[in-house]
Amino acid sequence: MDTYQDALRDALKRAASAMKAAGPDFALAGSYALWVHGAPEPVHDVDFVVAEVDADAAAETLADAGFVIERTPEDWLFKASTADGAVVDVLHCVNGLTVSADLIRAADRHDVLAIAMPVLSATVVMCQKLKSLHEHHCNFAALLPATRAVREQVDWAVVRDATADNDFATAFLFLVERLGIVTVLE
């Protein structure tokens, strides 16, 4: 591979192709989902979601496709790595909430790197990203470029309501409204 970015793209395609062929149902999530909606391309890893009941099946599918599976101490995801070091995180729980088949069914299909796959909406991903903010993880600077890029695709009233119990999310929404990036309805 020329770059780690190329390795991430290849891992995204390989993982999606494997799960499309052998199951389980999945959706592209996280920063790569926002990338599909127009945000800057991520440089860290690829995120997919699967229903909690399908986590073991997803691990088996990816192992059969040549990924090295790592069960992490966190019980809400596993990591699938390629020989060139690209990492795919497969989450079956996000922000303490079990991933449901309904969440995956609600994802829209998009062509991603020439592969049709379900991708979580920009609204869903922004809710998840903002709900994950806390005193030990509160990097607004990392969220600003993606927010600018997808702002017209997000239902900000839904995001505001879904994240109202998170003071860090509320502060971020105040900031992006104050900066004129988005209008969060009252």
Side-chain angles (χ1 to χ4, degrees), residues 111-139:
D111 284 335
V112 182
L113 302 171
I115 299 173
M117 68 183 75
V119 178
L120 295 182
S121 74
T123 299
V124 168
V125 177
M126 287 303 298
C127 287
Q128 291 172 342
K129 286 192 167 289
L130 293 181
K131 288 178 88 154
S132 73
L133 296 174
H134 55 83
E135 60 272 359
H136 299 293
H137 171 74
C138 187
N139 186 352

PDB file of all heavy atoms in Angstrom, residues 111-139:
ATOM      1  N   ASP A 111     -22.967   4.170  -2.390  1.00  0.00           N
ATOM      2  CA  ASP A 111     -21.790   3.572  -3.008  1.00  0.00           C
ATOM      3  C   ASP A 111     -20.572   4.154  -2.316  1.00  0.00           C
ATOM      4  O   ASP A 111     -20.350   5.365  -2.343  1.00  0.00           O
ATOM      5  CB  ASP A 111     -21.743   3.862  -4.507  1.00  0.00           C
ATOM      6  CG  ASP A 111     -22.720   3.024  -5.295  1.00  0.00           C
ATOM      7  OD1 ASP A 111     -23.086   1.934  -4.807  1.00  0.00           O
ATOM      8  OD2 ASP A 111     -23.121   3.444  -6.389  1.00  0.00           O
ATOM      9  N   VAL A 112     -19.805   3.293  -1.680  1.00  0.00           N
ATOM     10  CA  VAL A 112     -18.607   3.696  -0.954  1.00  0.00           C
ATOM     11  C   VAL A 112     -17.439   2.944  -1.579  1.00  0.00           C
ATOM     12  O   VAL A 112     -17.386   1.718  -1.513  1.00  0.00           O
ATOM     13  CB  VAL A 112     -18.720   3.361   0.547  1.00  0.00           C
ATOM     14  CG1 VAL A 112     -17.475   3.826   1.293  1.00  0.00           C
ATOM     15  CG2 VAL A 112     -19.981   3.973   1.147  1.00  0.00           C
ATOM     16  N   LEU A 113     -16.555   3.692  -2.210  1.00  0.00           N
ATOM     17  CA  LEU A 113     -15.400   3.079  -2.870  1.00  0.00           C
ATOM     18  C   LEU A 113     -15.849   1.953  -3.801  1.00  0.00           C
ATOM     19  O   LEU A 113     -15.281   0.875  -3.821  1.00  0.00           O
ATOM     20  CB  LEU A 113     -14.388   2.580  -1.829  1.00  0.00           C
ATOM     21  CG  LEU A 113     -13.850   3.650  -0.876  1.00  0.00           C
ATOM     22  CD1 LEU A 113     -13.038   3.010   0.248  1.00  0.00           C
ATOM     23  CD2 LEU A 113     -13.013   4.668  -1.645  1.00  0.00           C
ATOM     24  N   ALA A 114     -16.932   2.230  -4.550  1.00  0.00           N
ATOM     25  CA  ALA A 114     -17.494   1.332  -5.559  1.00  0.00           C
ATOM     26  C   ALA A 114     -18.229   0.111  -4.981  1.00  0.00           C
ATOM     27  O   ALA A 114     -18.519  -0.833  -5.699  1.00  0.00           O
ATOM     28  CB  ALA A 114     -16.431   0.887  -6.568  1.00  0.00           C
ATOM     29  N   ILE A 115     -18.545   0.143  -3.696  1.00  0.00           N
ATOM     30  CA  ILE A 115     -19.303  -0.945  -3.072  1.00  0.00           C
ATOM     31  C   ILE A 115     -20.557  -0.353  -2.434  1.00  0.00           C
ATOM     32  O   ILE A 115     -20.460   0.546  -1.592  1.00  0.00           O
ATOM     33  CB  ILE A 115     -18.468  -1.674  -2.003  1.00  0.00           C
ATOM     34  CG1 ILE A 115     -17.229  -2.300  -2.643  1.00  0.00           C
ATOM     35  CG2 ILE A 115     -19.303  -2.723  -1.284  1.00  0.00           C
ATOM     36  CD1 ILE A 115     -16.261  -2.887  -1.655  1.00  0.00           C
ATOM     37  N   ALA A 116     -21.710  -0.854  -2.825  1.00  0.00           N
ATOM     38  CA  ALA A 116     -22.962  -0.399  -2.223  1.00  0.00           C
ATOM     39  C   ALA A 116     -23.067  -0.986  -0.820  1.00  0.00           C
ATOM     40  O   ALA A 116     -22.887  -2.194  -0.633  1.00  0.00           O
ATOM     41  CB  ALA A 116     -24.152  -0.830  -3.067  1.00  0.00           C
ATOM     42  N   MET A 117     -23.314  -0.106   0.155  1.00  0.00           N
ATOM     43  CA  MET A 117     -23.426  -0.579   1.535  1.00  0.00           C
ATOM     44  C   MET A 117     -24.291   0.382   2.345  1.00  0.00           C
ATOM     45  O   MET A 117     -24.428   1.550   1.988  1.00  0.00           O
ATOM     46  CB  MET A 117     -22.043  -0.711   2.183  1.00  0.00           C
ATOM     47  CG  MET A 117     -21.327   0.592   2.430  1.00  0.00           C
ATOM     48  SD  MET A 117     -19.662   0.385   3.120  1.00  0.00           S
ATOM     49  CE  MET A 117     -18.765  -0.168   1.683  1.00  0.00           C
ATOM     50  N   PRO A 118     -24.859  -0.105   3.453  1.00  0.00           N
ATOM     51  CA  PRO A 118     -25.606   0.774   4.343  1.00  0.00           C
ATOM     52  C   PRO A 118     -24.645   1.685   5.111  1.00  0.00           C
ATOM     53  O   PRO A 118     -23.592   1.245   5.572  1.00  0.00           O
ATOM     54  CB  PRO A 118     -26.340  -0.171   5.292  1.00  0.00           C
ATOM     55  CG  PRO A 118     -25.852  -1.543   5.001  1.00  0.00           C
ATOM     56  CD  PRO A 118     -24.906  -1.499   3.863  1.00  0.00           C
ATOM     57  N   VAL A 119     -25.042   2.952   5.218  1.00  0.00           N
ATOM     58  CA  VAL A 119     -24.243   3.958   5.914  1.00  0.00           C
ATOM     59  C   VAL A 119     -25.167   4.704   6.874  1.00  0.00           C
ATOM     60  O   VAL A 119     -26.234   5.175   6.461  1.00  0.00           O
ATOM     61  CB  VAL A 119     -23.609   4.957   4.911  1.00  0.00           C
ATOM     62  CG1 VAL A 119     -22.820   6.034   5.635  1.00  0.00           C
ATOM     63  CG2 VAL A 119     -22.736   4.226   3.896  1.00  0.00           C
ATOM     64  N   LEU A 120     -24.761   4.808   8.128  1.00  0.00           N
ATOM     65  CA  LEU A 120     -25.569   5.564   9.091  1.00  0.00           C
ATOM     66  C   LEU A 120     -25.699   7.011   8.626  1.00  0.00           C
ATOM     67  O   LEU A 120     -24.770   7.574   8.033  1.00  0.00           O
ATOM     68  CB  LEU A 120     -24.942   5.517  10.480  1.00  0.00           C
ATOM     69  CG  LEU A 120     -24.883   4.153  11.161  1.00  0.00           C
ATOM     70  CD1 LEU A 120     -24.262   4.288  12.561  1.00  0.00           C
ATOM     71  CD2 LEU A 120     -26.252   3.489  11.246  1.00  0.00           C
ATOM     72  N   SER A 121     -26.820   7.617   8.942  1.00  0.00           N
ATOM     73  CA  SER A 121     -27.055   9.006   8.537  1.00  0.00           C
ATOM     74  C   SER A 121     -26.125   9.952   9.291  1.00  0.00           C
ATOM     75  O   SER A 121     -25.627   9.638  10.375  1.00  0.00           O
ATOM     76  CB  SER A 121     -28.509   9.399   8.809  1.00  0.00           C
ATOM     77  OG  SER A 121     -28.714   9.575  10.203  1.00  0.00           O
ATOM     78  N   ALA A 122     -25.918  11.113   8.717  1.00  0.00           N
ATOM     79  CA  ALA A 122     -25.091  12.124   9.362  1.00  0.00           C
ATOM     80  C   ALA A 122     -25.695  12.525  10.711  1.00  0.00           C
ATOM     81  O   ALA A 122     -24.962  12.782  11.672  1.00  0.00           O
ATOM     82  CB  ALA A 122     -24.931  13.340   8.456  1.00  0.00           C
ATOM     83  N   THR A 123     -27.005  12.555  10.811  1.00  0.00           N
ATOM     84  CA  THR A 123     -27.662  12.896  12.079  1.00  0.00           C
ATOM     85  C   THR A 123     -27.347  11.856  13.151  1.00  0.00           C
ATOM     86  O   THR A 123     -26.971  12.196  14.276  1.00  0.00           O
ATOM     87  CB  THR A 123     -29.187  13.031  11.888  1.00  0.00           C
ATOM     88  OG1 THR A 123     -29.444  14.093  10.951  1.00  0.00           O
ATOM     89  CG2 THR A 123     -29.893  13.320  13.200  1.00  0.00           C
ATOM     90  N   VAL A 124     -27.472  10.579  12.809  1.00  0.00           N
ATOM     91  CA  VAL A 124     -27.193   9.506  13.766  1.00  0.00           C
ATOM     92  C   VAL A 124     -25.735   9.562  14.216  1.00  0.00           C
ATOM     93  O   VAL A 124     -25.431   9.469  15.409  1.00  0.00           O
ATOM     94  CB  VAL A 124     -27.536   8.123  13.170  1.00  0.00           C
ATOM     95  CG1 VAL A 124     -26.974   6.992  14.024  1.00  0.00           C
ATOM     96  CG2 VAL A 124     -29.039   7.967  13.013  1.00  0.00           C
ATOM     97  N   VAL A 125     -24.817   9.719  13.268  1.00  0.00           N
ATOM     98  CA  VAL A 125     -23.393   9.733  13.624  1.00  0.00           C
ATOM     99  C   VAL A 125     -23.054  10.949  14.475  1.00  0.00           C
ATOM    100  O   VAL A 125     -22.302  10.833  15.450  1.00  0.00           O
ATOM    101  CB  VAL A 125     -22.495   9.654  12.371  1.00  0.00           C
ATOM    102  CG1 VAL A 125     -21.022   9.751  12.751  1.00  0.00           C
ATOM    103  CG2 VAL A 125     -22.754   8.361  11.608  1.00  0.00           C
ATOM    104  N   MET A 126     -23.614  12.111  14.149  1.00  0.00           N
ATOM    105  CA  MET A 126     -23.339  13.302  14.977  1.00  0.00           C
ATOM    106  C   MET A 126     -23.870  13.092  16.399  1.00  0.00           C
ATOM    107  O   MET A 126     -23.198  13.455  17.367  1.00  0.00           O
ATOM    108  CB  MET A 126     -23.935  14.562  14.352  1.00  0.00           C
ATOM    109  CG  MET A 126     -23.195  15.060  13.128  1.00  0.00           C
ATOM    110  SD  MET A 126     -21.429  15.422  13.377  1.00  0.00           S
ATOM    111  CE  MET A 126     -21.493  16.717  14.588  1.00  0.00           C
ATOM    112  N   CYS A 127     -25.035  12.490  16.530  1.00  0.00           N
ATOM    113  CA  CYS A 127     -25.555  12.189  17.877  1.00  0.00           C
ATOM    114  C   CYS A 127     -24.582  11.280  18.615  1.00  0.00           C
ATOM    115  O   CYS A 127     -24.250  11.534  19.781  1.00  0.00           O
ATOM    116  CB  CYS A 127     -26.923  11.513  17.788  1.00  0.00           C
ATOM    117  SG  CYS A 127     -28.287  12.589  17.309  1.00  0.00           S
ATOM    118  N   GLN A 128     -24.118  10.236  17.949  1.00  0.00           N
ATOM    119  CA  GLN A 128     -23.202   9.295  18.595  1.00  0.00           C
ATOM    120  C   GLN A 128     -21.894   9.972  18.985  1.00  0.00           C
ATOM    121  O   GLN A 128     -21.381   9.765  20.084  1.00  0.00           O
ATOM    122  CB  GLN A 128     -22.937   8.105  17.673  1.00  0.00           C
ATOM    123  CG  GLN A 128     -24.144   7.222  17.480  1.00  0.00           C
ATOM    124  CD  GLN A 128     -23.945   6.158  16.425  1.00  0.00           C
ATOM    125  OE1 GLN A 128     -23.046   6.237  15.587  1.00  0.00           O
ATOM    126  NE2 GLN A 128     -24.794   5.138  16.459  1.00  0.00           N
ATOM    127  N   LYS A 129     -21.347  10.783  18.091  1.00  0.00           N
ATOM    128  CA  LYS A 129     -20.081  11.448  18.386  1.00  0.00           C
ATOM    129  C   LYS A 129     -20.236  12.428  19.544  1.00  0.00           C
ATOM    130  O   LYS A 129     -19.371  12.490  20.422  1.00  0.00           O
ATOM    131  CB  LYS A 129     -19.536  12.144  17.140  1.00  0.00           C
ATOM    132  CG  LYS A 129     -18.966  11.149  16.145  1.00  0.00           C
ATOM    133  CD  LYS A 129     -18.187  11.843  15.067  1.00  0.00           C
ATOM    134  CE  LYS A 129     -17.373  10.865  14.272  1.00  0.00           C
ATOM    135  NZ  LYS A 129     -16.239  10.300  14.984  1.00  0.00           N
ATOM    136  N   LEU A 130     -21.300  13.189  19.551  1.00  0.00           N
ATOM    137  CA  LEU A 130     -21.487  14.171  20.630  1.00  0.00           C
ATOM    138  C   LEU A 130     -21.794  13.492  21.961  1.00  0.00           C
ATOM    139  O   LEU A 130     -21.344  13.952  23.010  1.00  0.00           O
ATOM    140  CB  LEU A 130     -22.572  15.169  20.261  1.00  0.00           C
ATOM    141  CG  LEU A 130     -22.228  16.106  19.102  1.00  0.00           C
ATOM    142  CD1 LEU A 130     -23.375  17.082  18.841  1.00  0.00           C
ATOM    143  CD2 LEU A 130     -20.943  16.863  19.349  1.00  0.00           C
ATOM    144  N   LYS A 131     -22.540  12.401  21.927  1.00  0.00           N
ATOM    145  CA  LYS A 131     -22.836  11.687  23.175  1.00  0.00           C
ATOM    146  C   LYS A 131     -21.596  11.036  23.772  1.00  0.00           C
ATOM    147  O   LYS A 131     -21.552  10.732  24.953  1.00  0.00           O
ATOM    148  CB  LYS A 131     -23.929  10.638  22.943  1.00  0.00           C
ATOM    149  CG  LYS A 131     -25.294  11.273  22.726  1.00  0.00           C
ATOM    150  CD  LYS A 131     -26.337  10.240  22.457  1.00  0.00           C
ATOM    151  CE  LYS A 131     -26.882   9.801  23.769  1.00  0.00           C
ATOM    152  NZ  LYS A 131     -28.226   9.289  23.754  1.00  0.00           N
ATOM    153  N   SER A 132     -20.573  10.818  22.945  1.00  0.00           N
ATOM    154  CA  SER A 132     -19.343  10.195  23.453  1.00  0.00           C
ATOM    155  C   SER A 132     -18.404  11.195  24.134  1.00  0.00           C
ATOM    156  O   SER A 132     -17.422  10.795  24.749  1.00  0.00           O
ATOM    157  CB  SER A 132     -18.592   9.489  22.315  1.00  0.00           C
ATOM    158  OG  SER A 132     -17.976  10.432  21.458  1.00  0.00           O
ATOM    159  N   LEU A 133     -18.709  12.482  24.036  1.00  0.00           N
ATOM    160  CA  LEU A 133     -17.848  13.490  24.664  1.00  0.00           C
ATOM    161  C   LEU A 133     -17.963  13.425  26.184  1.00  0.00           C
ATOM    162  O   LEU A 133     -19.052  13.280  26.738  1.00  0.00           O
ATOM    163  CB  LEU A 133     -18.240  14.892  24.186  1.00  0.00           C
ATOM    164  CG  LEU A 133     -18.058  15.182  22.697  1.00  0.00           C
ATOM    165  CD1 LEU A 133     -18.628  16.555  22.360  1.00  0.00           C
ATOM    166  CD2 LEU A 133     -16.593  15.079  22.296  1.00  0.00           C
ATOM    167  N   HIS A 134     -16.817  13.530  26.849  1.00  0.00           N
ATOM    168  CA  HIS A 134     -16.774  13.584  28.313  1.00  0.00           C
ATOM    169  C   HIS A 134     -15.467  14.248  28.727  1.00  0.00           C
ATOM    170  O   HIS A 134     -14.660  14.646  27.883  1.00  0.00           O
ATOM    171  CB  HIS A 134     -16.929  12.189  28.927  1.00  0.00           C
ATOM    172  CG  HIS A 134     -15.943  11.191  28.426  1.00  0.00           C
ATOM    173  ND1 HIS A 134     -14.667  11.066  28.924  1.00  0.00           N
ATOM    174  CD2 HIS A 134     -16.033  10.278  27.426  1.00  0.00           C
ATOM    175  CE1 HIS A 134     -14.026  10.115  28.278  1.00  0.00           C
ATOM    176  NE2 HIS A 134     -14.842   9.617  27.355  1.00  0.00           N
ATOM    177  N   GLU A 135     -15.241  14.393  30.016  1.00  0.00           N
ATOM    178  CA  GLU A 135     -14.093  15.163  30.500  1.00  0.00           C
ATOM    179  C   GLU A 135     -12.738  14.588  30.073  1.00  0.00           C
ATOM    180  O   GLU A 135     -11.751  15.304  30.026  1.00  0.00           O
ATOM    181  CB  GLU A 135     -14.127  15.347  32.017  1.00  0.00           C
ATOM    182  CG  GLU A 135     -14.102  14.071  32.816  1.00  0.00           C
ATOM    183  CD  GLU A 135     -15.484  13.483  33.066  1.00  0.00           C
ATOM    184  OE1 GLU A 135     -16.495  14.069  32.637  1.00  0.00           O
ATOM    185  OE2 GLU A 135     -15.550  12.413  33.693  1.00  0.00           O
ATOM    186  N   HIS A 136     -12.669  13.338  29.728  1.00  0.00           N
ATOM    187  CA  HIS A 136     -11.407  12.737  29.288  1.00  0.00           C
ATOM    188  C   HIS A 136     -11.307  12.636  27.774  1.00  0.00           C
ATOM    189  O   HIS A 136     -10.280  12.234  27.244  1.00  0.00           O
ATOM    190  CB  HIS A 136     -11.220  11.351  29.912  1.00  0.00           C
ATOM    191  CG  HIS A 136     -11.180  11.399  31.402  1.00  0.00           C
ATOM    192  ND1 HIS A 136     -10.151  11.992  32.097  1.00  0.00           N
ATOM    193  CD2 HIS A 136     -12.071  10.966  32.323  1.00  0.00           C
ATOM    194  CE1 HIS A 136     -10.396  11.901  33.391  1.00  0.00           C
ATOM    195  NE2 HIS A 136     -11.559  11.284  33.557  1.00  0.00           N
ATOM    196  N   HIS A 137     -12.378  12.958  27.079  1.00  0.00           N
ATOM    197  CA  HIS A 137     -12.408  12.925  25.614  1.00  0.00           C
ATOM    198  C   HIS A 137     -13.337  14.047  25.154  1.00  0.00           C
ATOM    199  O   HIS A 137     -14.554  13.867  25.090  1.00  0.00           O
ATOM    200  CB  HIS A 137     -12.920  11.572  25.109  1.00  0.00           C
ATOM    201  CG  HIS A 137     -13.181  11.570  23.641  1.00  0.00           C
ATOM    202  ND1 HIS A 137     -12.173  11.549  22.703  1.00  0.00           N
ATOM    203  CD2 HIS A 137     -14.331  11.593  22.937  1.00  0.00           C
ATOM    204  CE1 HIS A 137     -12.705  11.567  21.495  1.00  0.00           C
ATOM    205  NE2 HIS A 137     -14.014  11.580  21.618  1.00  0.00           N
ATOM    206  N   CYS A 138     -12.741  15.207  24.884  1.00  0.00           N
ATOM    207  CA  CYS A 138     -13.551  16.368  24.531  1.00  0.00           C
ATOM    208  C   CYS A 138     -12.794  17.221  23.516  1.00  0.00           C
ATOM    209  O   CYS A 138     -12.451  18.367  23.784  1.00  0.00           O
ATOM    210  CB  CYS A 138     -13.877  17.172  25.793  1.00  0.00           C
ATOM    211  SG  CYS A 138     -15.032  18.507  25.464  1.00  0.00           S
ATOM    212  N   ASN A 139     -12.533  16.656  22.346  1.00  0.00           N
ATOM    213  CA  ASN A 139     -11.766  17.351  21.325  1.00  0.00           C
ATOM    214  C   ASN A 139     -12.704  17.997  20.311  1.00  0.00           C
ATOM    215  O   ASN A 139     -13.035  17.399  19.291  1.00  0.00           O
ATOM    216  CB  ASN A 139     -10.798  16.378  20.644  1.00  0.00           C
ATOM    217  CG  ASN A 139      -9.872  17.077  19.686  1.00  0.00           C
ATOM    218  OD1 ASN A 139     -10.010  18.269  19.401  1.00  0.00           O
ATOM    219  ND2 ASN A 139      -8.910  16.341  19.166  1.00  0.00           N
TER     220      ASN A 139
END
